[in-house]
Amino acid sequence: MPETKIFSGSNTPQLAESIAKSYGQALGNLTLAKFSDGEMSPSYNESIRGCNVFLIQSTNPSADNLLELCLMIDAAKRASAYKVCAVIPYFGYARQDRKDRPRVSIASKLIANMLTSAGADRIMTCDLHAGQIQGFFDIPLDHLNGSAIFVPYLRSLDLGNLIFASPDVGGVGRTRSYAKHFEVDMVVCDKHRKRANEVASMQLIGDVEGKDVVLVDDLVDTAGTLCKAATIILENGAKSVRAIATHGVLSGKAYQNIEKSVLSELVITDTIPIKQDSSKIKVLTVADLFAKAIHAVTGNTSISSLFV
């Protein structure tokens, strides 16, 4: 069986180290050099010939980290790695998965082409913004689910009147899976946007009177939608409102918005490093989840057991 080696890009070194530790080995030795103008030049400081190479890199912010990952893949292929798997805990540009208006790019398809052209043999990621992005790849893709992290945590809270809420219509499927697992009801916040990151109006569909509400989303960017949804839910008689979201993008005034919101807490994972501490933000790790997936891939076993 080929030897397994795990390397980290510059975006998520702490997560990569945790994944490698959970897997049972140290991170490989990789130099990520830069010229004075910002041009990147990754190089491996150990032999990877004939190895299964796993490269861990979230692509947020997207541009530099994505290019760095592509260069790491290319360098690994040219160093005669047996197989190269790009482990992308947060897959950037996933929000641009279709032409929802004229003359725009389907960016996530372009990124899929770039990673494949760079030489990736496999992709491993978690909670894509749209599940159909898996179809943009012509190589194997392991799509892990954040529910494996959040379900045990929610059970530990022992909420008596639990109900799940989707902050928009697009997240209904994701929210319904949680509601089905806990055998409870769900509600939907129907929103209308003027433009990206700006909600024009929102209304609640469903009854939350006296309920402990959990908002479910795949990512939190400026947190505007989430905070507005939480306010509307509380105004409609909810007992408490908290949110779970796999990817804490948290850009712009996100931290201020969350601190000022009616949310009891926002629970995210470490797919993206947080920029500052917040009394309302709790971070759970996906390290064990990815380590188990890497074990399954290298051992040619099923990853079904990783799904709740």
Side-chain angles (χ1 to χ4, degrees):
M1 184 179 294
E3 185 181 356
T4 298
K5 293 195 175 183
I6 302 172
F7 297 89
S8 172
S10 60
N11 184 242
T12 46
Q14 291 181 325
L15 174 58
E17 190 172 342
S18 297
I19 291 172
K21 183 178 180 181
S22 182
Y23 181 80
Q25 66 182 52
L27 282 173
N29 192 351
L30 170 71
T31 297
L32 297 166
K34 278 192 176 183
F35 292 93
S36 61
D37 65 350
E39 184 177 321
M40 292 169 283
S41 177
S43 61
Y44 295 91
N45 301 324
E46 58 188 84
S47 175
I48 55 174
R49 184 179 297 273
C51 295
N52 276 320
V53 175
F54 290 82
L55 306 176
I56 302 171
Q57 175 86 312
S58 281
T59 54
N60 174 266
S62 303
D64 281 359
N65 292 312
L66 177 63
L67 180 56
E68 182 181 88
L69 177 59
C70 287
L71 291 171
M72 290 164 62
I73 293 169
D74 183 67
K77 296 299 285 190
R78 295 180 189 278
S80 300
Y82 173 62
K83 295 286 185 183
V84 178
C85 176
V87 180
I88 311 173
Y90 171 71
F91 187 93
Y93 286 104
R95 285 174 281 186
Q96 300 180 58
D97 63 307
R98 65 197 183 282
K99 288 191 69 173
D100 55 356
R101 60 188 188 279
R103 299 175 295 279
V104 296
S105 168
I106 303 180
S108 50
K109 172 57 177 170
L110 173 62
I111 302 309
N113 290 345
M114 289 173 62
L115 293 168
T116 305
S117 296
D121 297 292
R122 188 181 203 98
I123 304 294
M124 187 179 293
T125 188
C126 183
D127 280 351
L128 289 167
H129 186 66
Q132 63 265 26
I133 292 172
Q134 296 173 77
F136 292 169
F137 289 91
D138 294 322
I139 56 176
L141 186 148
D142 298 302
H143 187 206
L144 306 181
N145 197 314
S147 61
I149 308 297
F150 292 121
V151 165
Y153 176 74
L154 291 175
R155 288 201 183 282
S156 72
L157 296 178
D158 195 24
L159 299 171
N161 298 297
L162 178 63
I163 191 172
F164 289 92
S166 175
D168 53 41
V169 175
V172 167
R174 185 181 302 109
T175 306
R176 183 178 288 121
S177 66
Y178 277 92
K180 184 178 179 181
H181 180 80
F182 281 88
E183 298 181 336
V184 296
D185 293 329
M186 63 168 285
V187 298
V188 180
C189 298
D190 184 26
K191 70 180 179 185
H192 168 66
R193 288 189 187 275
K194 284 184 177 178
R195 57 185 68 89
N197 295 125
E198 186 176 333
V199 178
S201 62
M202 181 180 287
Q203 60 183 2
L204 182 67
I205 304 172
D207 181 22
V208 294
E209 184 73 35
K211 299 289 187 179
D212 293 302
V213 182
V214 177
L215 280 156
V216 180
D217 215 341
D218 63 310
L219 64 87
V220 183
D221 193 351
T222 62
T225 298
L226 207 63
C227 294
K228 191 175 183 69
T231 299
I232 290 173
I233 287 170
L234 209 63
E235 288 174 350
N236 277 266
K239 182 180 175 183
S240 68
V241 189
R242 55 176 35 83
I244 57 173
T246 306
H247 311 296
V249 178
L250 300 177
S251 65
K253 296 182 178 180
Y255 287 93
Q256 297 95 308
N257 290 340
I258 292 164
E259 283 295 329
K260 294 176 183 176
S261 74
V262 299
L263 287 167
S264 301
E265 64 176 349
L266 168 64
V267 188
I268 59 176
T269 73
D270 55 354
T271 57
I272 300 172
I274 61 170
K275 302 175 186 68
Q276 65 185 68
D277 292 330
S278 169
S279 61
K280 287 193 174 184
I281 298 176
K282 181 177 181 63
V283 182
L284 306 178
T285 185
V286 293
D288 290 344
L289 180 65
F290 276 95
K292 289 174 182 176
I294 293 172
H295 269 297
V297 168
T298 55
N300 295 315
T301 59
S302 173
I303 66 168
S304 298
S305 63
L306 302 181
F307 296 87
V308 173

